Amino acid sequence: MSDKKKLLRALSGETLDVPPVWLMRQAGRYLPEYRATRAEAGDFLSLCYNPDLAAEVTLQPIRRYGFDASILFADILLLPHALGADVWFVTGEGPRLSTITEASGLVKLKGKDDIHDHMAPVYETVRILSRELPSDTTLIGFAGAPWTVATYMIAGRGTPDQAPAHALREGDPETFGALINLLTEATIEYLDQQVQAGAEVVKLFDSWAGSLKGDAFDRFALEPVKRIIAGLKSRHPGLPVIVFPREAGEKYVGFAKAVGADALAIDTAVDTNWAAEYLQPNSCVQGNLDPKLMVTGGDALISETRRIVEALKGGPHIFNLGHGITPDADPENVHRMLEAIRG
Ligand code: 1CP
């Protein structure tokens, strides 16, 4: 038996009898202990920028469930904040940001190397976690992919169809391209510091990748992620990277190889037998239980969990959800899922 951590083994291409498991948004409102710490911190951003409390909420799901990986508690919108955008969260509604609609909005932003004072508490959270996590738990750092982060910076909020970002992309390609470029370069610096502070793996979340089609997908979902990974791996050879071009559909095929990633996270819509045939030969696959089953539970939770493990057991697999666990999930269902995976 190797003494290497299970998540790292799967990421290096090993097929394991029992897949390592963690959940997107595993530190979150479905846990009473999270809600208590969040109340102590005040608002969401104050929690993100308080290293002791951010480390505490990161550790809570590890204590409760013993997941194989822990993901830094932060948010993809901290990077726009560090670059000088206004960012705030409206309770019950979601994030709000100052908007970028033309070149003048871009020149007000800081440079890629000017984010570190702002991000110092996040790096401190990573240092605390790398000291305090159990020795078999892998610490994942993360950032948003440039396209997804840009959609929030352009619209000033979450949007169902990312229309403002598509409008800027088509109407003012120069400003749009400069924003993607700045985010690409700043993300390399940000993740480099997370790794220096102790993150063992990094994940890039491209939640809105699926709204880019054809050539636009290649230019703005694939290329920037490829540049980020190349930048990071030149500084940290062997650093494992997980990518999540959510709802990429047939564009998932070949994506991990094209960007140089070690694992491809798949959303709920992807058929696992198809993933085993077309995606797993190229990289480790992460996913993809429907988060709704964490709410409804029952026999369907157990049978779906077992079905996914079975479908992906012929290659490297990290068990996860197809998207984040929701606030209405039943914490007991997480135990039931783990029992179905680990026996
Ligand atoms: O009320 C609360 O406590 C805030 C809810 C919350 C949480 C727990 C937000 C607001 N962000 C987070 C943490 C978070 N966000 C993590 C921490 C680690 C973990 O997984 O446990 C991560 C990795 C993210 C990533 C993130 N933030 C994404 C990418 C993944 C995804 O879910 O698609 C996105 C799009 C965001 C933006 C964001 N932050 C928060 C919300 C509600 C949103 C989505 C807003 C929208 O699009 O309308």
Side-chain angles (χ1 to χ4, degrees), residues 24-27 29 34 38 44 71-77 89 95 142 152 158 205 207-208 323:
M24 285 187 264
R25 295 277 172 98
Q26 63 192 19
R29 277 177 294 173
Y34 171 86
R38 167 99 152 63
F44 174 66
I71 183 159
L72 163 70
F73 190 84
D75 195 81
I76 65 165
L77 300 177
F89 281 80
F142 76 94
Y152 290 93
F205 287 88
S207 305
W208 302 116
H323 201 186

Side-chain angles (χ1 to χ4, degrees), residues 90-163:
V90 181
T91 308
E93 289 189 34
R96 295 288 182 275
L97 298 84
S98 45
T99 59
I100 293 182
T101 51
E102 53 182 19
S104 65
L106 202 60
V107 296
K108 287 188 208 136
L109 295 179
K110 296 184 193 163
K112 70 177 174 80
D113 294 311
D114 303 330
I115 59 172
H116 300 309
D117 286 348
H118 183 102
M119 293 298 198
V122 177
Y123 308 147
E124 179 59 20
T125 306
V126 177
R127 281 191 288 272
I128 296 172
L129 288 168
S130 73
R131 282 198 306 270
E132 297 200 353
L133 277 167
S135 60
D136 53 356
T137 313
T138 302
L139 177 54
I140 304 173
F142 76 94
W147 160 250
T148 286
V149 176
T151 65
Y152 290 93
M153 294 179 81
I154 294 164
R157 58 191 300 162
T159 47
D161 53 5
Q162 298 74 58

